[in-house]
Amino acid sequence: MAVSDTTTAPIRRHRPSNARSILGLTGPAYLWLVITILLPLAAMFYFSFLSDVPLPGRDWQVTLSNYTAFFQQDFYRTLMLRSLRLGFEVALWCFVIGFPCAYVLAKTIKGRWREALFLMVIIPFWSNALIRVFSWTMVLRGNGILERFLDWLIPGFGSLNLMFTYEAVVIGLVHSYLPYMILTCYISLSTIDDDLIDAARSMGASRLTVLRRIILPLSMPGIVAGAVLIFVPVIGSFMEPRILGGREGTFLGTVIEDQFTSVFNWPLGAALSFILLACVMVIFAVFQPILRRAS
Amino acid sequence: MASVTVSHVSKSFGDFQALSDVSIEFADGGFYALLGPSGSGKTTLLRQIAGFSFPDSGEIRIGGEAVESVPVEKRNIGMMFQNYALFPNMSVFDNVAFGLMVRDTPRSEIKARVGEALELVRLSGYDERKPHQLSGGQRQRVALARAIVFRPQVLLLDEPLSALDKALRLGMQVELKRIQREVGITTIFVTHDQEEALTLSDKVGVLKDGKLLQEGTPRELYERPRTAFAATFLGDANLFNGIADDGELALADGTRLRTLEPLARSGRMTCAVRPEKIAIVEDSAQLSSDSNVLEAELEQTIFAGNSLSYLLRHGDTSLRVFAQNRAAADLQPGQRVRLAWCSADTIPVEA
């Protein structure tokens, strides 16, 4: 084919090689990640094996004691379990509240209303996290907005002070992370063909069966993605537990933060962080088959 | 099995009247095609019969039982969707078993009946495949097996073959017909493909703008269309506009066409003639006394292998003549030719 030869040859000459264009396009991102994440992480990993912060005038040596502390003291293990439980519960509540919302957004509402409702989901992202958490304190405290509202709704309701409780921490975190679950579920729900739901119904399936056998299995990738996006940051969270939980808000995240900010024991904080990271990895490894099947 | 009766059903979406006063009787065990262009209301009607939405007014009976306010999951209908709608997360077996599973059928019976259904659609041994591992035609068969395995009263098909390529479609038409006959289930299918409607069904209803224009056997509809729309939508048709005069159709240039029966009405009339009924004849040819004869100018010849289409012009009217490729005359564009056809093939239609 003489014609095609003459047309393709010059183009090929000008085209940069594939490898070079891949490098050119991905290079900046990976360089940035290496500099901003891997290097500091590596430094922290190194710190976690030291007995004290390596500053002039401090006496430090290489040790495993930061790691052994975790296994020797029940306190840390209890905190770890508490943090994992918090992560699990927040992810669960986000699913319970977010999935129906995502379903309605993806399947029931169309057009302008969908955009408006989406905006309401995303708005929390636009406000400062600290302001969001502090505004919760006004809602949850004794004689706060929530108590007064319930008192108005049910006369003689009594007092309700959720401030500085485990529940307050869960409420604050669910509020912060709910959009992740709604968005990931929305994406996977909107890829489900409506005909599948119609088909299941035509075969006699009740709405519950359709949900259980068709919608939930097919939206599992979104649910899992949302749960992971929520679980990981929540188990290391410290701001919401600190502000809303008070004395009840002691989690691994807050203890780690203490090591860096008030106790100034960076090596212990670093070690706890890496134990937490390892724990997350172990959990994902264990659930890998389920996660893979789901997505 | 059951008959389906739709009487005086109307449905509108906002300002749009999707169905207006439609009444159709679907015979028990029959194969009925709802034919119409998009927006004609055919899919809306099917969805009312299925129970996905409910008519604003009118009555729908399945097997004599009024169902117009019964939701789809309680109607015991089988439905096949245009894009098959197989559950991608389930194997072929689980897809077919779904309708039995929701009816709490015992496991052993599910197994036996799914096996039977897959055998019926000639897909035995594909139980463990996932839908994405099947070809289009195979998915189609799974969808069909899934729709009939729980022995529904009615089988509804929504553009069942439109997603297949032509060769597969012809094969599936034969299969669909065979399976429908073997199972004997009342079948209603929606299509915009006139050929599919003619070959598959034993009765066709033509819909337009939410109204039932005409119904009848494929032959009746094709040979005796009542409206210009039915004539052109179901196959090709040449339309002659003229004025009824003394029982004949007088065209603008004075040519008189005799029709199937002498025209009873007077005034403006339209007649339809199928392209294959018209022959191009020699000037010297002997014509029977009931022939209509027309002079026309050939504009274009479309060669399609086994057949040819001639595009011609008579005054303002474009004409189309269809001929088998059997010693067809070699005609040049611009040439004047003589057309002849039987007066019985000249069908008066409503414009």
Short mmCIF file of all heavy atoms in Angstrom, two decimals, chain A residues 193 195-207 209-210 212-214 217-218, chain B residues 47 52 72-73 77 79 81 83 85-90 98-99 101-103 146 150:
data_model
loop_
_atom_site.label_atom_id
_atom_site.label_comp_id
_atom_site.label_asym_id
_atom_site.label_seq_id
_atom_site.Cartn_x
_atom_site.Cartn_y
_atom_site.Cartn_z
N ASP A 193 -27.29 -0.78 35.24
CA ASP A 193 -28.34 -0.58 34.24
C ASP A 193 -29.71 -0.74 34.91
O ASP A 193 -29.96 -1.73 35.58
CB ASP A 193 -28.14 -1.65 33.16
CG ASP A 193 -29.04 -1.42 31.97
OD1 ASP A 193 -29.95 -0.58 32.08
OD2 ASP A 193 -28.82 -2.10 30.97
N ASP A 195 -32.35 -1.51 33.61
CA ASP A 195 -33.03 -2.70 33.10
C ASP A 195 -32.78 -3.92 33.99
O ASP A 195 -33.61 -4.82 34.05
CB ASP A 195 -32.54 -3.03 31.68
CG ASP A 195 -33.26 -2.19 30.64
OD1 ASP A 195 -34.22 -1.49 31.02
OD2 ASP A 195 -32.88 -2.25 29.46
N LEU A 196 -31.63 -3.95 34.67
CA LEU A 196 -31.36 -5.09 35.54
C LEU A 196 -32.37 -5.13 36.67
O LEU A 196 -32.86 -6.20 37.06
CB LEU A 196 -29.95 -4.99 36.14
CG LEU A 196 -28.78 -5.12 35.17
CD1 LEU A 196 -27.47 -5.05 35.93
CD2 LEU A 196 -28.87 -6.43 34.42
N ILE A 197 -32.70 -3.95 37.20
CA ILE A 197 -33.67 -3.88 38.28
C ILE A 197 -35.04 -4.27 37.75
O ILE A 197 -35.76 -5.06 38.36
CB ILE A 197 -33.66 -2.45 38.87
CG1 ILE A 197 -32.28 -2.17 39.47
CG2 ILE A 197 -34.76 -2.30 39.92
CD1 ILE A 197 -32.01 -0.71 39.77
N ASP A 198 -35.38 -3.73 36.56
CA ASP A 198 -36.66 -4.09 35.94
C ASP A 198 -36.73 -5.59 35.68
O ASP A 198 -37.76 -6.22 35.89
CB ASP A 198 -36.83 -3.33 34.61
CG ASP A 198 -37.23 -1.89 34.84
OD1 ASP A 198 -37.51 -1.53 36.00
OD2 ASP A 198 -37.25 -1.12 33.86
N ALA A 199 -35.62 -6.14 35.19
CA ALA A 199 -35.61 -7.57 34.86
C ALA A 199 -35.86 -8.40 36.12
O ALA A 199 -36.66 -9.33 36.11
CB ALA A 199 -34.27 -7.96 34.23
N ALA A 200 -35.18 -8.03 37.20
CA ALA A 200 -35.35 -8.78 38.45
C ALA A 200 -36.79 -8.69 38.92
O ALA A 200 -37.39 -9.69 39.35
CB ALA A 200 -34.40 -8.25 39.51
N ARG A 201 -37.37 -7.50 38.81
CA ARG A 201 -38.76 -7.34 39.25
C ARG A 201 -39.70 -8.14 38.36
O ARG A 201 -40.66 -8.74 38.83
CB ARG A 201 -39.15 -5.86 39.25
CG ARG A 201 -38.44 -5.06 40.32
CD ARG A 201 -38.90 -3.63 40.30
NE ARG A 201 -40.32 -3.54 40.64
CZ ARG A 201 -41.11 -2.54 40.25
NH1 ARG A 201 -40.63 -1.57 39.52
NH2 ARG A 201 -42.37 -2.52 40.60
N SER A 202 -39.42 -8.16 37.04
CA SER A 202 -40.30 -8.90 36.14
C SER A 202 -40.29 -10.39 36.47
O SER A 202 -41.24 -11.09 36.19
CB SER A 202 -39.88 -8.68 34.69
OG SER A 202 -38.74 -9.45 34.37
N MET A 203 -39.19 -10.84 37.07
CA MET A 203 -39.13 -12.26 37.44
C MET A 203 -39.76 -12.51 38.80
O MET A 203 -39.71 -13.63 39.30
CB MET A 203 -37.68 -12.75 37.42
CG MET A 203 -37.20 -13.00 36.01
SD MET A 203 -35.50 -13.51 36.00
CE MET A 203 -34.69 -11.97 35.76
N GLY A 204 -40.29 -11.47 39.40
CA GLY A 204 -41.04 -11.67 40.63
C GLY A 204 -40.27 -11.30 41.89
O GLY A 204 -40.72 -11.60 42.99
N ALA A 205 -39.12 -10.64 41.74
CA ALA A 205 -38.33 -10.31 42.93
C ALA A 205 -38.92 -9.11 43.66
O ALA A 205 -39.25 -8.11 43.02
CB ALA A 205 -36.89 -10.02 42.52
N SER A 206 -39.04 -9.22 44.97
CA SER A 206 -39.48 -8.08 45.76
C SER A 206 -38.36 -7.05 45.79
O SER A 206 -37.23 -7.33 45.42
CB SER A 206 -39.79 -8.53 47.18
OG SER A 206 -38.61 -8.98 47.80
N ARG A 207 -38.69 -5.85 46.27
CA ARG A 207 -37.68 -4.79 46.29
C ARG A 207 -36.50 -5.19 47.17
O ARG A 207 -35.36 -4.86 46.87
CB ARG A 207 -38.29 -3.49 46.78
CG ARG A 207 -39.43 -3.10 45.88
CD ARG A 207 -39.66 -1.60 45.82
NE ARG A 207 -40.70 -1.35 44.86
CZ ARG A 207 -40.58 -0.51 43.84
NH1 ARG A 207 -39.45 0.14 43.68
NH2 ARG A 207 -41.55 -0.33 43.00
N THR A 209 -35.38 -8.24 47.70
CA THR A 209 -34.57 -9.21 46.97
C THR A 209 -33.72 -8.52 45.91
O THR A 209 -32.55 -8.86 45.72
CB THR A 209 -35.47 -10.27 46.30
OG1 THR A 209 -36.37 -10.77 47.27
CG2 THR A 209 -34.65 -11.40 45.73
N VAL A 210 -34.32 -7.54 45.22
CA VAL A 210 -33.56 -6.81 44.21
C VAL A 210 -32.36 -6.13 44.87
O VAL A 210 -31.25 -6.19 44.37
CB VAL A 210 -34.46 -5.75 43.52
CG1 VAL A 210 -33.64 -4.90 42.57
CG2 VAL A 210 -35.59 -6.43 42.77
N ARG A 212 -30.85 -6.96 47.68
CA ARG A 212 -29.91 -7.94 48.25
C ARG A 212 -29.14 -8.69 47.15
O ARG A 212 -27.95 -8.92 47.28
CB ARG A 212 -30.70 -8.93 49.10
CG ARG A 212 -29.98 -9.47 50.30
CD ARG A 212 -30.96 -10.10 51.28
NE ARG A 212 -31.89 -10.99 50.62
CZ ARG A 212 -31.63 -12.27 50.33
NH1 ARG A 212 -30.48 -12.80 50.67
NH2 ARG A 212 -32.52 -13.02 49.72
N ARG A 213 -29.85 -9.07 46.09
CA ARG A 213 -29.23 -9.94 45.10
C ARG A 213 -28.62 -9.18 43.93
O ARG A 213 -27.75 -9.70 43.25
CB ARG A 213 -30.25 -10.95 44.56
CG ARG A 213 -30.84 -11.86 45.62
CD ARG A 213 -29.77 -12.77 46.20
NE ARG A 213 -29.09 -13.53 45.17
CZ ARG A 213 -29.37 -14.79 44.87
NH1 ARG A 213 -30.29 -15.43 45.53
NH2 ARG A 213 -28.70 -15.41 43.92
N ILE A 214 -29.12 -8.00 43.64
CA ILE A 214 -28.66 -7.29 42.44
C ILE A 214 -27.90 -6.02 42.81
O ILE A 214 -26.74 -5.85 42.48
CB ILE A 214 -29.84 -6.91 41.52
CG1 ILE A 214 -30.78 -8.10 41.30
CG2 ILE A 214 -29.34 -6.34 40.20
CD1 ILE A 214 -30.19 -9.24 40.53
N PRO A 217 -24.71 -6.41 45.52
CA PRO A 217 -23.51 -7.04 44.93
C PRO A 217 -22.88 -6.18 43.84
O PRO A 217 -21.66 -6.07 43.77
CB PRO A 217 -24.04 -8.35 44.34
CG PRO A 217 -25.30 -8.63 45.05
CD PRO A 217 -25.88 -7.30 45.44
N LEU A 218 -23.71 -5.53 43.02
CA LEU A 218 -23.14 -4.77 41.90
C LEU A 218 -22.55 -3.44 42.34
O LEU A 218 -21.72 -2.88 41.65
CB LEU A 218 -24.21 -4.55 40.83
CG LEU A 218 -24.60 -5.80 40.04
CD1 LEU A 218 -25.70 -5.48 39.06
CD2 LEU A 218 -23.41 -6.39 39.32
N ARG B 47 -44.88 -1.71 28.77
CA ARG B 47 -44.58 -1.50 30.19
C ARG B 47 -45.84 -1.44 31.04
O ARG B 47 -45.80 -1.74 32.23
CB ARG B 47 -43.72 -0.24 30.38
CG ARG B 47 -42.30 -0.42 29.85
CD ARG B 47 -41.46 0.81 30.06
NE ARG B 47 -41.03 0.96 31.44
CZ ARG B 47 -39.99 0.33 31.97
NH1 ARG B 47 -39.28 -0.49 31.26
NH2 ARG B 47 -39.67 0.52 33.23
N PHE B 52 -44.75 -2.17 34.95
CA PHE B 52 -43.72 -1.24 35.42
C PHE B 52 -44.33 0.12 35.68
O PHE B 52 -43.85 0.88 36.50
CB PHE B 52 -42.59 -1.12 34.41
CG PHE B 52 -41.72 -2.33 34.36
CD1 PHE B 52 -41.65 -3.10 33.21
CD2 PHE B 52 -40.99 -2.72 35.46
CE1 PHE B 52 -40.86 -4.22 33.17
CE2 PHE B 52 -40.19 -3.84 35.43
CZ PHE B 52 -40.12 -4.60 34.28
N VAL B 72 -45.46 -5.11 38.85
CA VAL B 72 -44.85 -6.10 37.95
C VAL B 72 -44.47 -7.40 38.66
O VAL B 72 -44.70 -8.48 38.13
CB VAL B 72 -43.64 -5.48 37.21
CG1 VAL B 72 -42.64 -4.88 38.18
CG2 VAL B 72 -42.96 -6.50 36.33
N GLU B 73 -43.93 -7.29 39.87
CA GLU B 73 -43.42 -8.51 40.52
C GLU B 73 -44.53 -9.48 40.91
O GLU B 73 -44.27 -10.63 41.21
CB GLU B 73 -42.52 -8.17 41.72
CG GLU B 73 -43.13 -7.28 42.78
CD GLU B 73 -42.83 -5.81 42.55
OE1 GLU B 73 -42.67 -5.40 41.39
OE2 GLU B 73 -42.76 -5.07 43.55
N ILE B 77 -45.25 -12.40 34.79
CA ILE B 77 -44.94 -12.24 33.38
C ILE B 77 -43.45 -12.51 33.19
O ILE B 77 -42.67 -12.39 34.13
CB ILE B 77 -45.26 -10.80 32.90
CG1 ILE B 77 -44.60 -9.78 33.82
CG2 ILE B 77 -46.76 -10.58 32.85
CD1 ILE B 77 -43.59 -8.95 33.18
N MET B 79 -40.15 -11.36 30.90
CA MET B 79 -39.82 -10.25 30.01
C MET B 79 -38.37 -10.36 29.55
O MET B 79 -37.48 -10.71 30.31
CB MET B 79 -40.04 -8.93 30.74
CG MET B 79 -39.75 -7.73 29.88
SD MET B 79 -40.89 -6.38 30.22
CE MET B 79 -40.21 -5.10 29.17
N PHE B 81 -35.34 -8.16 27.67
CA PHE B 81 -35.00 -6.76 27.43
C PHE B 81 -34.09 -6.61 26.22
O PHE B 81 -33.36 -7.52 25.87
CB PHE B 81 -34.34 -6.17 28.68
CG PHE B 81 -35.28 -6.06 29.83
CD1 PHE B 81 -35.59 -7.16 30.59
CD2 PHE B 81 -35.88 -4.86 30.14
CE1 PHE B 81 -36.47 -7.07 31.65
CE2 PHE B 81 -36.76 -4.75 31.19
CZ PHE B 81 -37.05 -5.85 31.95
N ASN B 83 -31.34 -5.02 25.78
CA ASN B 83 -29.90 -5.25 25.98
C ASN B 83 -29.68 -6.49 26.84
O ASN B 83 -28.69 -6.60 27.53
CB ASN B 83 -29.25 -4.03 26.62
CG ASN B 83 -29.90 -3.69 27.94
OD1 ASN B 83 -30.83 -4.39 28.36
ND2 ASN B 83 -29.43 -2.67 28.60
N ALA B 85 -30.12 -7.50 29.68
CA ALA B 85 -30.22 -7.26 31.12
C ALA B 85 -29.90 -8.51 31.93
O ALA B 85 -30.57 -8.81 32.92
CB ALA B 85 -31.60 -6.72 31.49
N LEU B 86 -28.87 -9.25 31.53
CA LEU B 86 -28.43 -10.38 32.35
C LEU B 86 -27.69 -9.82 33.56
O LEU B 86 -27.01 -8.81 33.46
CB LEU B 86 -27.50 -11.29 31.55
CG LEU B 86 -28.12 -11.93 30.32
CD1 LEU B 86 -27.09 -12.83 29.64
CD2 LEU B 86 -29.35 -12.75 30.69
N PHE B 87 -27.82 -10.51 34.69
CA PHE B 87 -27.13 -10.05 35.89
C PHE B 87 -25.65 -10.37 35.76
O PHE B 87 -25.27 -11.54 35.75
CB PHE B 87 -27.72 -10.72 37.12
CG PHE B 87 -29.20 -10.51 37.24
CD1 PHE B 87 -30.05 -11.56 37.54
CD2 PHE B 87 -29.75 -9.26 37.05
CE1 PHE B 87 -31.41 -11.37 37.64
CE2 PHE B 87 -31.12 -9.06 37.14
CZ PHE B 87 -31.95 -10.12 37.44
N PRO B 88 -24.79 -9.36 35.67
CA PRO B 88 -23.38 -9.63 35.38
C PRO B 88 -22.67 -10.34 36.53
O PRO B 88 -21.62 -10.95 36.32
CB PRO B 88 -22.79 -8.24 35.16
CG PRO B 88 -23.73 -7.29 35.81
CD PRO B 88 -25.08 -7.93 35.77
N ASN B 89 -23.25 -10.25 37.72
CA ASN B 89 -22.58 -10.87 38.89
C ASN B 89 -22.97 -12.33 39.05
O ASN B 89 -22.53 -12.97 39.99
CB ASN B 89 -22.93 -10.07 40.15
CG ASN B 89 -24.43 -9.93 40.35
OD1 ASN B 89 -25.19 -9.83 39.40
ND2 ASN B 89 -24.86 -9.93 41.59
N MET B 90 -23.82 -12.84 38.20
CA MET B 90 -24.28 -14.22 38.37
C MET B 90 -23.93 -15.07 37.16
O MET B 90 -23.84 -14.57 36.04
CB MET B 90 -25.80 -14.25 38.53
CG MET B 90 -26.31 -13.55 39.76
SD MET B 90 -28.08 -13.79 39.87
CE MET B 90 -28.49 -12.50 41.02
N PHE B 98 -32.99 -17.41 38.71
CA PHE B 98 -33.44 -16.28 39.56
C PHE B 98 -34.95 -16.28 39.79
O PHE B 98 -35.41 -16.17 40.92
CB PHE B 98 -32.99 -14.96 38.92
CG PHE B 98 -33.16 -13.78 39.81
CD1 PHE B 98 -32.17 -13.44 40.71
CD2 PHE B 98 -34.31 -13.01 39.77
CE1 PHE B 98 -32.32 -12.34 41.55
CE2 PHE B 98 -34.47 -11.91 40.61
CZ PHE B 98 -33.47 -11.59 41.50
N GLY B 99 -35.71 -16.41 38.71
CA GLY B 99 -37.16 -16.36 38.83
C GLY B 99 -37.71 -17.50 39.67
O GLY B 99 -38.74 -17.35 40.35
N MET B 101 -35.85 -19.00 42.06
CA MET B 101 -35.32 -18.75 43.41
C MET B 101 -36.25 -17.83 44.19
O MET B 101 -36.57 -18.12 45.34
CB MET B 101 -33.92 -18.16 43.26
CG MET B 101 -33.10 -18.01 44.49
SD MET B 101 -33.32 -16.43 45.31
CE MET B 101 -32.92 -15.23 44.07
N VAL B 102 -36.70 -16.75 43.56
CA VAL B 102 -37.56 -15.82 44.29
C VAL B 102 -38.93 -16.43 44.56
O VAL B 102 -39.68 -15.94 45.40
CB VAL B 102 -37.75 -14.47 43.57
CG1 VAL B 102 -36.42 -13.77 43.39
CG2 VAL B 102 -38.43 -14.64 42.24
N ARG B 103 -39.27 -17.51 43.88
CA ARG B 103 -40.53 -18.19 44.14
C ARG B 103 -40.35 -19.34 45.12
O ARG B 103 -41.24 -20.19 45.26
CB ARG B 103 -41.12 -18.71 42.83
CG ARG B 103 -41.74 -17.61 41.98
CD ARG B 103 -42.07 -18.11 40.58
NE ARG B 103 -42.82 -17.13 39.81
CZ ARG B 103 -42.30 -16.03 39.29
NH1 ARG B 103 -41.03 -15.77 39.46
NH2 ARG B 103 -43.05 -15.18 38.62
N ARG B 146 -34.32 -17.38 30.81
CA ARG B 146 -34.59 -16.78 32.11
C ARG B 146 -36.02 -16.26 32.18
O ARG B 146 -36.65 -16.28 33.24
CB ARG B 146 -33.60 -15.62 32.30
CG ARG B 146 -33.58 -15.03 33.66
CD ARG B 146 -32.53 -13.97 33.77
NE ARG B 146 -32.91 -12.75 33.03
CZ ARG B 146 -32.29 -11.58 33.17
NH1 ARG B 146 -31.27 -11.48 33.99
NH2 ARG B 146 -32.68 -10.54 32.49
N PHE B 150 -39.84 -19.87 34.66
CA PHE B 150 -40.80 -19.97 35.77
C PHE B 150 -42.23 -20.02 35.27
O PHE B 150 -43.17 -19.80 36.02
CB PHE B 150 -40.58 -18.82 36.78
CG PHE B 150 -40.56 -17.45 36.17
CD1 PHE B 150 -41.73 -16.74 36.01
CD2 PHE B 150 -39.37 -16.89 35.75
CE1 PHE B 150 -41.72 -15.48 35.45
CE2 PHE B 150 -39.35 -15.62 35.18
CZ PHE B 150 -40.53 -14.91 35.02
#
